[in-house]
Structure formats: structure tokens, C-alpha cells
Amino acid sequence: MNTTFNTLTKSLVFFVILDFFMFFVLEVIFWMQPFVYNILLEMFNNPPKTLDFSMHALVLKKLFINQGFYNLFFAFGGLAGLYYLNKNKAVGYALTALVCFSAVGAGIVLAITSKAYILAFFQAVPAAIALAKVYPLFKNELNQLN
């Protein structure tokens, strides 16, 4: 078993962080752009025919802002995890594991509740691989503390 936080693991964690940050940007900054809400509403929601996409986007705007900030906070959690790997490995591994676990869960929920299967795959699979690599490192650090 590889017991180091190697380049592949770090790259996967960076990808997870970037994914969270990208959705923050889409949901908070660019949500009301037709190009963004047309694609995302079609994939995620498919609003009723009586409500066009622009009106549906306006109705959901505050919800997406809230959701976008959740994504930003997870991205910050991942960055904090990477930072703490140099200060306190147990804290760093715990934060990165939590962020990866959250991305896996969000990807599964996305796949179950929408037609965004490709997005769900790219959210969940890299995070699952990173989590599988980080969790044993976290357990090892906890065992060394005891």
C-alpha cells in the first residue's frame, strides 16, 4: 500500500477543489447568463413548459447562489486540507478526506436526481479515487497519535 500523499493523489484533490470552485463561479457569478442556465437547467431540472428557462433561472437564482457558496466553502476546505498537510498531517488528511467524501456524495446524488451523468462522473470518480488514497493515510496518522 502506498502510504504517501503522492502527485496523483494531490492532483486528484486539486481536481476536486477545482470542480467545487468551478461550480461556485457558474452558480454565483454566471448563473443569470443564458448560456449557463440553459445548459444547467436542461441537465438538472427540465423546468415546466409553462415557465421558460430565463424565468425559471430567476426563480432559482437565490437557491443557486446559496448552493454556489457551499461549493466555495468546500473548495476552501480542500485548500485548507492541503495547507495543513505541512503543519498537522492528521488535520490535513481529515479535511481533504471530508472534501472528497462530500464530492463523492454530491456526485451520487447528482446522478440519481438528474440527467447530468457526465458531470456526476467527473465529480464523484476522481474524488472517490482520492478518498481511497487519503483515508488510509488519515487512519495511519490517527494511529500514530495514539
Side-chain angles (χ1 to χ4, degrees), residues 2-59:
N2 186 355
T3 58
T4 63
F5 197 79
N6 61 25
T7 304
L8 173 63
T9 306
K10 187 179 281 190
S11 298
L12 289 168
V13 171
F14 271 126
F15 182 83
V16 171
I17 292 167
L18 184 63
D19 185 52
F20 277 123
F21 185 74
M22 177 195 69
F23 275 98
F24 161 75
V25 170
L26 288 175
E27 294 167 350
V28 173
I29 298 171
F30 295 116
W31 174 247
M32 290 308 297
Q33 299 301 312
F35 177 76
V36 173
Y37 67 68
N38 283 332
I39 290 172
L40 294 179
L41 286 175
E42 182 68 36
M43 254 191 272
F44 296 148
N45 200 7
N46 206 5
K49 300 293 183 212
T50 57
L51 196 61
D52 70 358
F53 277 12
S54 63
M55 186 57 68
H56 200 74
L58 187 61
V59 168

Side-chain angles (χ1 to χ4, degrees), residues 123-138:
Q123 184 171 30
V125 172
I129 296 167
L131 180 60
K133 293 178 170 292
V134 170
Y135 186 72
L137 298 171
F138 174 61

